[in-house]
Amino acid sequence: MDVVALVDELTVTAGAPFADRLAAVPSLPRRTGADVVAHPEAGTLRLAYETPAMPEADARRLVVHLPADDATAAALDRLSGRRPGALRAVNG
């Protein structure tokens, strides 16, 4: 029996107590998505992010943010003084 079928069966058999416990189980953070940031000068920025797999990275992880839309890309260009479409370097 595969895991999905087992979970479905337990959800039907045990009902709400099982479903509630299953919903409370913590999960890993999403590897991709988008964040909305309210910047004091540029306004609302939509940043897409990706967390690439890093073998043997222990507890460390790398998160890469890129503009999620053209308006955000233009706002970031204005903030950094770069011409539109230029590469961005981030110092950490």
Side-chain angles (χ1 to χ4, degrees):
M1 176 179 280
D2 68 0
V3 173
V4 174
L6 176 61
V7 169
D8 289 344
E9 182 180 334
L10 288 171
T11 301
V12 170
T13 305
F18 175 76
D20 293 345
R21 283 188 178 192
L22 184 62
V25 173
S27 62
L28 295 173
R30 292 183 52 157
R31 294 194 55 200
T32 61
D35 289 328
V36 177
V37 177
H39 189 277
E41 293 177 37
T44 301
L45 303 174
R46 290 190 65 243
L47 299 172
Y49 67 86
E50 180 175 345
T51 306
M54 296 178 57
E56 301 179 28
D58 301 320
R60 296 170 292 177
R61 66 184 186 141
L62 173 70
V63 179
V64 179
H65 284 92
L66 295 171
D69 55 35
D70 291 338
T72 298
L76 291 174
D77 286 338
R78 283 191 304 275
L79 283 172
S80 66
R82 296 184 184 274
R83 65 185 185 280
L87 292 176
R88 294 169 185 78
V90 178
N91 297 320

Short mmCIF file of all heavy atoms in Angstrom, two decimals, residues 17-82:
data_model
loop_
_atom_site.label_atom_id
_atom_site.label_comp_id
_atom_site.label_asym_id
_atom_site.label_seq_id
_atom_site.Cartn_x
_atom_site.Cartn_y
_atom_site.Cartn_z
N PRO A 17 -9.70 13.45 14.28
CA PRO A 17 -8.49 13.39 15.12
C PRO A 17 -7.22 13.11 14.31
O PRO A 17 -6.18 13.73 14.53
CB PRO A 17 -8.80 12.26 16.11
CG PRO A 17 -10.29 12.23 16.20
CD PRO A 17 -10.76 12.58 14.81
N PHE A 18 -7.31 12.18 13.34
CA PHE A 18 -6.14 11.88 12.52
C PHE A 18 -5.82 13.05 11.60
O PHE A 18 -4.66 13.46 11.48
CB PHE A 18 -6.36 10.61 11.69
CG PHE A 18 -5.23 10.33 10.74
CD1 PHE A 18 -4.04 9.81 11.20
CD2 PHE A 18 -5.34 10.63 9.39
CE1 PHE A 18 -2.97 9.56 10.34
CE2 PHE A 18 -4.29 10.40 8.51
CZ PHE A 18 -3.11 9.86 8.99
N ALA A 19 -6.83 13.62 10.96
CA ALA A 19 -6.61 14.74 10.04
C ALA A 19 -6.00 15.93 10.75
O ALA A 19 -5.10 16.59 10.22
CB ALA A 19 -7.93 15.11 9.37
N ASP A 20 -6.45 16.22 11.97
CA ASP A 20 -5.90 17.33 12.75
C ASP A 20 -4.44 17.10 13.11
O ASP A 20 -3.62 18.01 13.01
CB ASP A 20 -6.71 17.56 14.03
CG ASP A 20 -8.12 18.06 13.74
OD1 ASP A 20 -8.37 18.50 12.60
OD2 ASP A 20 -8.96 17.99 14.66
N ARG A 21 -4.12 15.88 13.51
CA ARG A 21 -2.72 15.57 13.84
C ARG A 21 -1.84 15.64 12.60
O ARG A 21 -0.71 16.13 12.66
CB ARG A 21 -2.60 14.19 14.47
CG ARG A 21 -3.05 14.17 15.90
CD ARG A 21 -2.73 12.85 16.53
NE ARG A 21 -3.14 12.89 17.92
CZ ARG A 21 -2.79 11.99 18.80
NH1 ARG A 21 -2.04 10.97 18.44
NH2 ARG A 21 -3.19 12.09 20.04
N LEU A 22 -2.34 15.16 11.48
CA LEU A 22 -1.57 15.19 10.24
C LEU A 22 -1.31 16.64 9.82
O LEU A 22 -0.21 16.98 9.39
CB LEU A 22 -2.31 14.44 9.14
CG LEU A 22 -1.58 14.32 7.81
CD1 LEU A 22 -0.28 13.54 7.98
CD2 LEU A 22 -2.46 13.64 6.78
N ALA A 23 -2.30 17.49 9.96
CA ALA A 23 -2.14 18.90 9.58
C ALA A 23 -1.15 19.62 10.48
O ALA A 23 -0.54 20.62 10.07
CB ALA A 23 -3.50 19.60 9.63
N ALA A 24 -0.95 19.15 11.70
CA ALA A 24 -0.06 19.81 12.66
C ALA A 24 1.40 19.40 12.49
O ALA A 24 2.28 20.00 13.10
CB ALA A 24 -0.51 19.50 14.08
N VAL A 25 1.67 18.41 11.65
CA VAL A 25 3.05 17.94 11.46
C VAL A 25 3.84 19.02 10.72
O VAL A 25 3.43 19.48 9.66
CB VAL A 25 3.08 16.62 10.66
CG1 VAL A 25 4.50 16.21 10.32
CG2 VAL A 25 2.37 15.52 11.44
N PRO A 26 4.98 19.45 11.29
CA PRO A 26 5.78 20.47 10.60
C PRO A 26 6.34 19.91 9.29
O PRO A 26 6.60 18.72 9.16
CB PRO A 26 6.90 20.79 11.59
CG PRO A 26 6.91 19.69 12.57
CD PRO A 26 5.57 19.01 12.52
N SER A 27 6.51 20.79 8.33
CA SER A 27 7.06 20.37 7.05
C SER A 27 8.31 21.17 6.74
O SER A 27 8.60 22.17 7.39
CB SER A 27 6.02 20.55 5.94
OG SER A 27 5.69 21.92 5.83
N LEU A 28 9.03 20.74 5.74
CA LEU A 28 10.22 21.45 5.31
C LEU A 28 9.80 22.77 4.66
O LEU A 28 8.73 22.86 4.07
CB LEU A 28 11.00 20.61 4.31
CG LEU A 28 11.59 19.31 4.86
CD1 LEU A 28 12.19 18.49 3.72
CD2 LEU A 28 12.64 19.62 5.90
N PRO A 29 10.65 23.78 4.74
CA PRO A 29 10.32 25.04 4.06
C PRO A 29 10.24 24.81 2.55
O PRO A 29 10.93 23.95 2.01
CB PRO A 29 11.47 25.97 4.42
CG PRO A 29 12.43 25.20 5.22
CD PRO A 29 11.91 23.82 5.43
N ARG A 30 9.41 25.59 1.91
CA ARG A 30 9.30 25.49 0.45
C ARG A 30 10.62 25.85 -0.19
O ARG A 30 11.33 26.73 0.28
CB ARG A 30 8.21 26.43 -0.04
CG ARG A 30 6.83 26.01 0.40
CD ARG A 30 5.82 26.93 -0.17
NE ARG A 30 6.03 27.02 -1.62
CZ ARG A 30 5.12 27.37 -2.48
NH1 ARG A 30 3.93 27.70 -2.07
NH2 ARG A 30 5.38 27.42 -3.77
N ARG A 31 10.96 25.18 -1.30
CA ARG A 31 12.22 25.45 -1.99
C ARG A 31 12.09 26.58 -2.98
O ARG A 31 13.08 27.18 -3.37
CB ARG A 31 12.71 24.18 -2.68
CG ARG A 31 13.09 23.13 -1.64
CD ARG A 31 13.87 22.02 -2.20
NE ARG A 31 15.05 22.51 -2.88
CZ ARG A 31 15.70 21.82 -3.78
NH1 ARG A 31 15.32 20.63 -4.10
NH2 ARG A 31 16.76 22.32 -4.38
N THR A 32 10.86 26.88 -3.43
CA THR A 32 10.64 27.99 -4.35
C THR A 32 9.39 28.74 -3.94
O THR A 32 8.54 28.21 -3.23
CB THR A 32 10.46 27.50 -5.80
OG1 THR A 32 9.31 26.66 -5.87
CG2 THR A 32 11.68 26.74 -6.30
N GLY A 33 9.29 29.95 -4.39
CA GLY A 33 8.11 30.73 -4.09
C GLY A 33 8.36 32.20 -4.36
O GLY A 33 9.29 32.55 -5.10
N ALA A 34 7.54 33.04 -3.77
CA ALA A 34 7.70 34.48 -3.94
C ALA A 34 7.40 35.16 -2.61
O ALA A 34 6.52 34.73 -1.87
CB ALA A 34 6.78 35.00 -5.03
N ASP A 35 8.16 36.19 -2.32
CA ASP A 35 7.95 37.00 -1.13
C ASP A 35 7.58 38.41 -1.56
O ASP A 35 8.03 38.89 -2.61
CB ASP A 35 9.23 37.10 -0.28
CG ASP A 35 9.58 35.80 0.41
OD1 ASP A 35 8.67 35.04 0.77
OD2 ASP A 35 10.79 35.56 0.62
N VAL A 36 6.77 39.08 -0.78
CA VAL A 36 6.44 40.48 -1.02
C VAL A 36 7.11 41.29 0.08
O VAL A 36 6.97 40.99 1.27
CB VAL A 36 4.92 40.71 -1.01
CG1 VAL A 36 4.59 42.18 -1.18
CG2 VAL A 36 4.25 39.88 -2.10
N VAL A 37 7.88 42.30 -0.34
CA VAL A 37 8.64 43.12 0.60
C VAL A 37 8.20 44.58 0.43
O VAL A 37 8.12 45.07 -0.70
CB VAL A 37 10.16 43.00 0.32
CG1 VAL A 37 10.95 43.90 1.24
CG2 VAL A 37 10.61 41.56 0.45
N ALA A 38 7.93 45.25 1.53
CA ALA A 38 7.59 46.68 1.49
C ALA A 38 8.87 47.47 1.73
O ALA A 38 9.34 47.58 2.86
CB ALA A 38 6.54 47.00 2.54
N HIS A 39 9.43 48.02 0.67
CA HIS A 39 10.66 48.79 0.77
C HIS A 39 10.31 50.26 0.99
O HIS A 39 9.40 50.79 0.36
CB HIS A 39 11.47 48.63 -0.52
CG HIS A 39 12.84 49.20 -0.42
ND1 HIS A 39 13.10 50.53 -0.60
CD2 HIS A 39 14.03 48.61 -0.14
CE1 HIS A 39 14.39 50.75 -0.45
NE2 HIS A 39 14.98 49.59 -0.16
N PRO A 40 11.02 50.95 1.91
CA PRO A 40 10.65 52.33 2.23
C PRO A 40 10.78 53.31 1.06
O PRO A 40 10.07 54.30 1.01
CB PRO A 40 11.60 52.71 3.37
CG PRO A 40 12.70 51.72 3.33
CD PRO A 40 12.14 50.48 2.70
N GLU A 41 11.67 53.04 0.12
CA GLU A 41 11.85 53.95 -1.01
C GLU A 41 11.21 53.41 -2.29
O GLU A 41 10.63 54.18 -3.06
CB GLU A 41 13.34 54.18 -1.27
CG GLU A 41 14.05 54.94 -0.18
CD GLU A 41 15.53 55.07 -0.47
OE1 GLU A 41 15.90 55.24 -1.65
OE2 GLU A 41 16.31 54.98 0.49
N ALA A 42 11.31 52.12 -2.53
CA ALA A 42 10.88 51.54 -3.80
C ALA A 42 9.43 51.06 -3.78
O ALA A 42 8.87 50.75 -4.81
CB ALA A 42 11.80 50.39 -4.18
N GLY A 43 8.85 50.99 -2.60
CA GLY A 43 7.47 50.50 -2.51
C GLY A 43 7.43 48.99 -2.43
O GLY A 43 8.34 48.34 -1.93
N THR A 44 6.36 48.41 -2.96
CA THR A 44 6.16 46.97 -2.89
C THR A 44 7.02 46.26 -3.92
O THR A 44 6.98 46.59 -5.11
CB THR A 44 4.68 46.62 -3.12
OG1 THR A 44 3.91 47.28 -2.12
CG2 THR A 44 4.45 45.12 -3.01
N LEU A 45 7.81 45.31 -3.46
CA LEU A 45 8.67 44.51 -4.34
C LEU A 45 8.25 43.06 -4.24
O LEU A 45 8.01 42.54 -3.16
CB LEU A 45 10.14 44.63 -3.91
CG LEU A 45 10.73 46.03 -3.85
CD1 LEU A 45 12.14 45.97 -3.27
CD2 LEU A 45 10.73 46.67 -5.22
N ARG A 46 8.15 42.39 -5.39
CA ARG A 46 7.86 40.96 -5.42
C ARG A 46 9.15 40.24 -5.79
O ARG A 46 9.70 40.47 -6.87
CB ARG A 46 6.77 40.64 -6.44
CG ARG A 46 5.41 41.16 -6.01
CD ARG A 46 4.28 40.65 -6.90
NE ARG A 46 4.16 39.20 -6.75
CZ ARG A 46 4.35 38.31 -7.73
NH1 ARG A 46 4.65 38.70 -8.93
NH2 ARG A 46 4.24 37.03 -7.50
N LEU A 47 9.66 39.42 -4.88
CA LEU A 47 10.92 38.72 -5.09
C LEU A 47 10.67 37.22 -5.15
O LEU A 47 10.15 36.63 -4.21
CB LEU A 47 11.89 39.03 -3.96
CG LEU A 47 12.27 40.50 -3.82
CD1 LEU A 47 13.08 40.72 -2.55
CD2 LEU A 47 13.05 40.97 -5.04
N ALA A 48 11.03 36.61 -6.28
CA ALA A 48 10.97 35.16 -6.40
C ALA A 48 12.19 34.60 -5.68
O ALA A 48 13.26 35.21 -5.69
CB ALA A 48 10.97 34.75 -7.86
N TYR A 49 12.02 33.45 -5.05
CA TYR A 49 13.17 32.84 -4.38
C TYR A 49 13.27 31.37 -4.74
O TYR A 49 12.30 30.72 -5.11
CB TYR A 49 13.12 33.02 -2.86
CG TYR A 49 11.99 32.28 -2.18
CD1 TYR A 49 12.14 30.94 -1.80
CD2 TYR A 49 10.79 32.90 -1.90
CE1 TYR A 49 11.11 30.26 -1.17
CE2 TYR A 49 9.77 32.23 -1.26
CZ TYR A 49 9.93 30.91 -0.91
OH TYR A 49 8.91 30.24 -0.29
N GLU A 50 14.48 30.88 -4.63
CA GLU A 50 14.76 29.46 -4.83
C GLU A 50 15.85 29.06 -3.85
O GLU A 50 16.79 29.81 -3.63
CB GLU A 50 15.22 29.21 -6.27
CG GLU A 50 15.51 27.75 -6.54
CD GLU A 50 15.85 27.49 -7.99
OE1 GLU A 50 15.61 28.35 -8.84
OE2 GLU A 50 16.39 26.40 -8.26
N THR A 51 15.69 27.90 -3.27
CA THR A 51 16.69 27.35 -2.37
C THR A 51 17.26 26.10 -3.03
O THR A 51 16.65 25.03 -2.96
CB THR A 51 16.08 27.00 -1.00
OG1 THR A 51 15.42 28.15 -0.49
CG2 THR A 51 17.13 26.56 -0.01
N PRO A 52 18.39 26.22 -3.72
CA PRO A 52 18.95 25.05 -4.40
C PRO A 52 19.41 23.98 -3.41
O PRO A 52 19.79 24.29 -2.28
CB PRO A 52 20.13 25.60 -5.19
CG PRO A 52 20.27 27.03 -4.83
CD PRO A 52 19.18 27.41 -3.89
N ALA A 53 19.34 22.75 -3.85
CA ALA A 53 19.84 21.64 -3.02
C ALA A 53 21.34 21.78 -2.88
O ALA A 53 22.05 22.02 -3.85
CB ALA A 53 19.48 20.31 -3.65
N MET A 54 21.82 21.63 -1.64
CA MET A 54 23.25 21.73 -1.39
C MET A 54 23.68 20.48 -0.62
O MET A 54 23.51 20.41 0.59
CB MET A 54 23.57 22.99 -0.59
CG MET A 54 23.27 24.26 -1.33
SD MET A 54 23.60 25.75 -0.36
CE MET A 54 25.30 25.56 0.08
N PRO A 55 24.20 19.49 -1.34
CA PRO A 55 24.62 18.27 -0.66
C PRO A 55 25.67 18.56 0.41
O PRO A 55 26.53 19.41 0.24
CB PRO A 55 25.20 17.40 -1.76
CG PRO A 55 25.06 18.15 -3.02
CD PRO A 55 24.50 19.50 -2.74
N GLU A 56 25.54 17.88 1.52
CA GLU A 56 26.48 17.99 2.62
C GLU A 56 26.62 19.42 3.15
O GLU A 56 27.69 19.85 3.53
CB GLU A 56 27.85 17.44 2.22
CG GLU A 56 27.80 15.99 1.79
CD GLU A 56 29.16 15.46 1.37
OE1 GLU A 56 30.17 15.97 1.87
OE2 GLU A 56 29.18 14.54 0.56
N ALA A 57 25.52 20.16 3.20
CA ALA A 57 25.56 21.54 3.65
C ALA A 57 25.21 21.67 5.13
O ALA A 57 25.12 22.76 5.64
CB ALA A 57 24.62 22.39 2.81
N ASP A 58 25.00 20.55 5.81
CA ASP A 58 24.60 20.57 7.21
C ASP A 58 23.36 21.43 7.38
O ASP A 58 22.37 21.24 6.70
CB ASP A 58 25.75 21.05 8.11
CG ASP A 58 26.97 20.17 7.98
OD1 ASP A 58 26.81 18.94 7.89
OD2 ASP A 58 28.09 20.71 7.96
N ALA A 59 23.40 22.40 8.28
CA ALA A 59 22.23 23.24 8.54
C ALA A 59 22.23 24.50 7.67
O ALA A 59 21.33 25.31 7.77
CB ALA A 59 22.19 23.63 10.01
N ARG A 60 23.24 24.67 6.85
CA ARG A 60 23.32 25.86 6.02
C ARG A 60 22.45 25.72 4.79
O ARG A 60 22.21 24.62 4.30
CB ARG A 60 24.76 26.11 5.58
CG ARG A 60 25.67 26.40 6.74
CD ARG A 60 27.09 26.40 6.29
NE ARG A 60 27.42 25.03 5.92
CZ ARG A 60 28.57 24.64 5.42
NH1 ARG A 60 29.50 25.53 5.19
NH2 ARG A 60 28.81 23.39 5.13
N ARG A 61 21.97 26.85 4.28
CA ARG A 61 21.25 26.83 3.01
C ARG A 61 21.46 28.15 2.30
O ARG A 61 21.74 29.18 2.92
CB ARG A 61 19.77 26.55 3.21
CG ARG A 61 19.02 27.61 3.93
CD ARG A 61 17.57 27.18 4.14
NE ARG A 61 16.84 28.27 4.72
CZ ARG A 61 15.61 28.59 4.42
NH1 ARG A 61 14.95 27.88 3.55
NH2 ARG A 61 15.02 29.60 4.99
N LEU A 62 21.34 28.12 1.01
CA LEU A 62 21.49 29.30 0.17
C LEU A 62 20.11 29.66 -0.37
O LEU A 62 19.40 28.79 -0.88
CB LEU A 62 22.45 28.98 -0.99
CG LEU A 62 22.59 30.04 -2.06
CD1 LEU A 62 23.33 31.26 -1.50
CD2 LEU A 62 23.34 29.47 -3.25
N VAL A 63 19.73 30.92 -0.25
CA VAL A 63 18.46 31.38 -0.80
C VAL A 63 18.78 32.44 -1.85
O VAL A 63 19.46 33.43 -1.57
CB VAL A 63 17.55 31.98 0.29
CG1 VAL A 63 16.24 32.46 -0.32
CG2 VAL A 63 17.29 30.96 1.39
N VAL A 64 18.31 32.22 -3.07
CA VAL A 64 18.54 33.13 -4.19
C VAL A 64 17.25 33.90 -4.44
O VAL A 64 16.20 33.30 -4.62
CB VAL A 64 18.95 32.35 -5.46
CG1 VAL A 64 19.16 33.28 -6.63
CG2 VAL A 64 20.19 31.51 -5.19
N HIS A 65 17.34 35.23 -4.44
CA HIS A 65 16.18 36.08 -4.72
C HIS A 65 16.39 36.78 -6.06
O HIS A 65 17.48 37.30 -6.33
CB HIS A 65 16.01 37.16 -3.64
CG HIS A 65 15.43 36.65 -2.38
ND1 HIS A 65 16.19 36.20 -1.34
CD2 HIS A 65 14.14 36.51 -1.99
CE1 HIS A 65 15.41 35.80 -0.35
NE2 HIS A 65 14.16 35.98 -0.73
N LEU A 66 15.33 36.82 -6.87
CA LEU A 66 15.34 37.53 -8.14
C LEU A 66 14.03 38.29 -8.27
O LEU A 66 13.03 37.91 -7.67
CB LEU A 66 15.46 36.53 -9.31
CG LEU A 66 16.75 35.74 -9.38
CD1 LEU A 66 16.64 34.64 -10.42
CD2 LEU A 66 17.90 36.67 -9.72
N PRO A 67 14.01 39.35 -9.08
CA PRO A 67 12.75 40.07 -9.27
C PRO A 67 11.69 39.13 -9.85
O PRO A 67 11.96 38.39 -10.79
CB PRO A 67 13.09 41.18 -10.26
CG PRO A 67 14.56 41.20 -10.39
CD PRO A 67 15.10 39.92 -9.84
N ALA A 68 10.49 39.17 -9.30
CA ALA A 68 9.42 38.28 -9.77
C ALA A 68 8.61 38.92 -10.90
O ALA A 68 7.81 38.23 -11.52
CB ALA A 68 8.49 37.91 -8.61
N ASP A 69 8.80 40.21 -11.13
CA ASP A 69 8.06 40.87 -12.21
C ASP A 69 8.87 42.06 -12.73
O ASP A 69 9.88 42.44 -12.14
CB ASP A 69 6.65 41.29 -11.75
CG ASP A 69 6.67 42.17 -10.50
OD1 ASP A 69 7.61 42.99 -10.35
OD2 ASP A 69 5.75 42.05 -9.69
N ASP A 70 8.42 42.63 -13.84
CA ASP A 70 9.14 43.74 -14.46
C ASP A 70 9.17 44.98 -13.58
O ASP A 70 10.18 45.70 -13.54
CB ASP A 70 8.53 44.08 -15.82
CG ASP A 70 8.76 42.99 -16.85
OD1 ASP A 70 9.72 42.20 -16.68
OD2 ASP A 70 8.00 42.95 -17.85
N ALA A 71 8.09 45.25 -12.86
CA ALA A 71 8.05 46.43 -11.99
C ALA A 71 9.10 46.32 -10.88
O ALA A 71 9.77 47.31 -10.55
CB ALA A 71 6.65 46.60 -11.40
N THR A 72 9.24 45.14 -10.31
CA THR A 72 10.25 44.93 -9.26
C THR A 72 11.65 45.06 -9.83
O THR A 72 12.53 45.67 -9.23
CB THR A 72 10.05 43.57 -8.57
OG1 THR A 72 8.77 43.55 -7.94
CG2 THR A 72 11.14 43.30 -7.54
N ALA A 73 11.87 44.49 -11.02
CA ALA A 73 13.19 44.59 -11.66
C ALA A 73 13.55 46.06 -11.89
O ALA A 73 14.67 46.50 -11.61
CB ALA A 73 13.20 43.82 -12.97
N ALA A 74 12.59 46.86 -12.37
CA ALA A 74 12.84 48.28 -12.61
C ALA A 74 13.10 49.02 -11.30
O ALA A 74 14.00 49.86 -11.23
CB ALA A 74 11.65 48.90 -13.34
N ALA A 75 12.35 48.70 -10.26
CA ALA A 75 12.55 49.35 -8.96
C ALA A 75 13.92 49.02 -8.39
O ALA A 75 14.61 49.90 -7.85
CB ALA A 75 11.45 48.92 -7.98
N LEU A 76 14.35 47.76 -8.52
CA LEU A 76 15.68 47.39 -8.03
C LEU A 76 16.77 48.07 -8.84
O LEU A 76 17.80 48.48 -8.28
CB LEU A 76 15.84 45.86 -8.07
CG LEU A 76 14.99 45.08 -7.07
CD1 LEU A 76 15.12 43.58 -7.31
CD2 LEU A 76 15.36 45.43 -5.64
N ASP A 77 16.57 48.21 -10.14
CA ASP A 77 17.54 48.94 -10.97
C ASP A 77 17.64 50.39 -10.52
O ASP A 77 18.74 50.94 -10.40
CB ASP A 77 17.14 48.87 -12.44
CG ASP A 77 17.41 47.51 -13.07
OD1 ASP A 77 18.26 46.77 -12.53
OD2 ASP A 77 16.77 47.20 -14.09
N ARG A 78 16.50 51.03 -10.23
CA ARG A 78 16.52 52.42 -9.76
C ARG A 78 17.25 52.53 -8.42
O ARG A 78 18.04 53.45 -8.20
CB ARG A 78 15.11 52.96 -9.62
CG ARG A 78 14.45 53.33 -10.93
CD ARG A 78 13.16 54.11 -10.72
NE ARG A 78 12.19 53.42 -9.89
CZ ARG A 78 11.31 52.52 -10.33
NH1 ARG A 78 11.28 52.19 -11.61
NH2 ARG A 78 10.46 51.95 -9.51
N LEU A 79 17.00 51.60 -7.51
CA LEU A 79 17.65 51.64 -6.19
C LEU A 79 19.16 51.48 -6.29
O LEU A 79 19.90 52.13 -5.56
CB LEU A 79 17.09 50.53 -5.29
CG LEU A 79 15.72 50.77 -4.69
CD1 LEU A 79 15.24 49.50 -3.99
CD2 LEU A 79 15.75 51.93 -3.72
N SER A 80 19.58 50.61 -7.16
CA SER A 80 21.02 50.32 -7.25
C SER A 80 21.75 51.24 -8.22
O SER A 80 22.97 51.23 -8.28
CB SER A 80 21.24 48.87 -7.66
OG SER A 80 20.77 48.67 -8.98
N GLY A 81 20.99 52.04 -8.98
CA GLY A 81 21.63 52.93 -9.95
C GLY A 81 22.11 52.21 -11.18
O GLY A 81 22.89 52.75 -11.97
N ARG A 82 21.66 51.00 -11.40
CA ARG A 82 22.08 50.24 -12.58
C ARG A 82 21.12 50.47 -13.72
O ARG A 82 19.97 50.81 -13.54
CB ARG A 82 22.12 48.75 -12.26
CG ARG A 82 23.14 48.40 -11.22
CD ARG A 82 23.19 46.88 -11.04
NE ARG A 82 24.09 46.52 -9.99
CZ ARG A 82 25.40 46.34 -10.15
NH1 ARG A 82 25.94 46.50 -11.32
NH2 ARG A 82 26.16 46.02 -9.13
#
